[in-house]
Amino acid sequence: MAQTRIAVVVGSLRKDSFNQKLALALAHFAPSDFTFEHVRIDDLPLYNQDDDGNQAPAVKRLKSEIAAAQGLLFVTPEYNRSIPGVLKNAIDHASRPYGQSVWGGKPAGVLGISVGAIGTALAQQHLRNILAYLDVPTLGSPEVFLQTKDDLFDDKGHIGNEGSKKFLQGWMDKYVAWVKSHSAV
Ligand SMILES: Cc1cc2nc3c(=O)[nH]c(=O)nc-3n(C[C@H](O)[C@H](O)[C@H](O)COP(=O)(O)O)c2cc1C
């Protein structure tokens, strides 16, 4: 069966990141012909336009992983009411040199989890702005704003809460259809 490859970009480098945990847990809701590959962003240099003609090996790796994917999944915390700098850095790298962005046309989903009550809503809105400019068609709804709660994950790291399970399964079903509808074009 042909596999649909999804590049997963997590906006936190923290070892015990809730967003990383969420990204891993989400894959269990997907059909078996979807594979999720986490792209590494922690070893990217800070973006500097002077380097556009000679991108670092880590940047070339990121770009080839994004280019090879049929879809994108962004799972990010909110930092100071926006996206973390490490995520913006990765997005900027893969958008350059001018005219050689690898983001364009890749269908995306955006989710996040936060300790705060608004569950990354503002970070996601900023991210959607950036993705719109990069010509990334992004699933509009349902939106996924999760707050860290004790019963959200079980001891295996899966989603443990029945209500959240049902909600995330519904989200994944829509995301899968979204990705497929764009790959059919
Ligand atoms: C620099 C910084 C800024 C933060 N700003 C926000 C914020 O604006 N909104 C929010 O809900 N949480 C904010 N937080 C708390 C994060 O939601 C929390 O640290 C979360 O666990 C980060 O995600 P992670 O577990 O995936 O690393 C902030 C945390 C840091 C370190």
Side-chain angles (χ1 to χ4, degrees):
M1 190 191 304
Q3 290 292 305
T4 298
R5 196 187 298 187
I6 304 298
V8 182
V9 191
V10 175
S12 171
L13 307 185
R14 201 168 73 84
K15 181 166 50 71
D16 296 322
S17 162
F18 292 116
N19 285 278
Q20 168 75 9
K21 222 169 157 180
L22 174 62
L24 291 170
L26 265 180
H28 296 285
F29 296 104
S32 58
D33 58 333
F34 269 54
T35 52
F36 293 82
E37 291 170 11
H38 288 230
V39 299
R40 196 172 167 192
I41 63 169
D42 66 329
D43 61 346
L44 298 172
L46 285 177
Y47 178 77
N48 179 340
Q49 195 178 356
D50 290 339
D51 301 330
D52 272 8
N54 184 26
Q55 289 183 311
V59 175
K60 288 185 177 150
R61 181 201 64 221
L62 171 73
K63 289 188 76 175
S64 67
E65 287 171 350
I66 300 296
Q70 283 87 50
L72 306 169
L73 191 61
F74 291 91
V75 189
T76 186
E78 177 170 293
Y79 278 4
N80 299 315
R81 298 292 183 251
S82 186
I83 62 169
V86 290
L87 176 56
K88 184 62 163 57
N89 190 51
I91 292 173
D92 290 343
H93 271 302
S95 72
R96 290 280 155 160
Y98 182 76
Q100 292 175 41
S101 168
V102 288
W103 299 112
K106 309 257 175 206
V110 170
L111 310 89
I113 181 166
S114 163
V115 296
I118 62 165
T120 75
L122 288 171
Q124 290 189 36
Q125 209 51 55
H126 281 189
L127 180 55
R128 285 176 185 279
N129 254 12
I130 297 164
L131 296 177
Y133 173 69
L134 292 171
D135 199 22
V136 172
T138 306
L139 180 65
S141 68
E143 295 170 302
V144 183
F145 306 137
L146 291 172
Q147 189 177 15
T148 53
K149 294 268 169 63
D150 287 345
D151 66 345
L152 184 63
F153 297 104
D154 66 18
D155 52 8
K156 291 197 178 80
H158 298 161
I159 301 296
N161 168 303
E162 285 308 318
S164 302
K165 256 191 216 172
K166 198 167 165 218
F167 175 67
L168 288 172
Q169 184 64 67
W171 183 88
M172 181 57 79
D173 293 347
K174 276 203 79 176
Y175 173 71
V176 165
W178 181 252
V179 171
K180 287 188 171 165
S181 71
H182 285 83
S183 18
V185 175

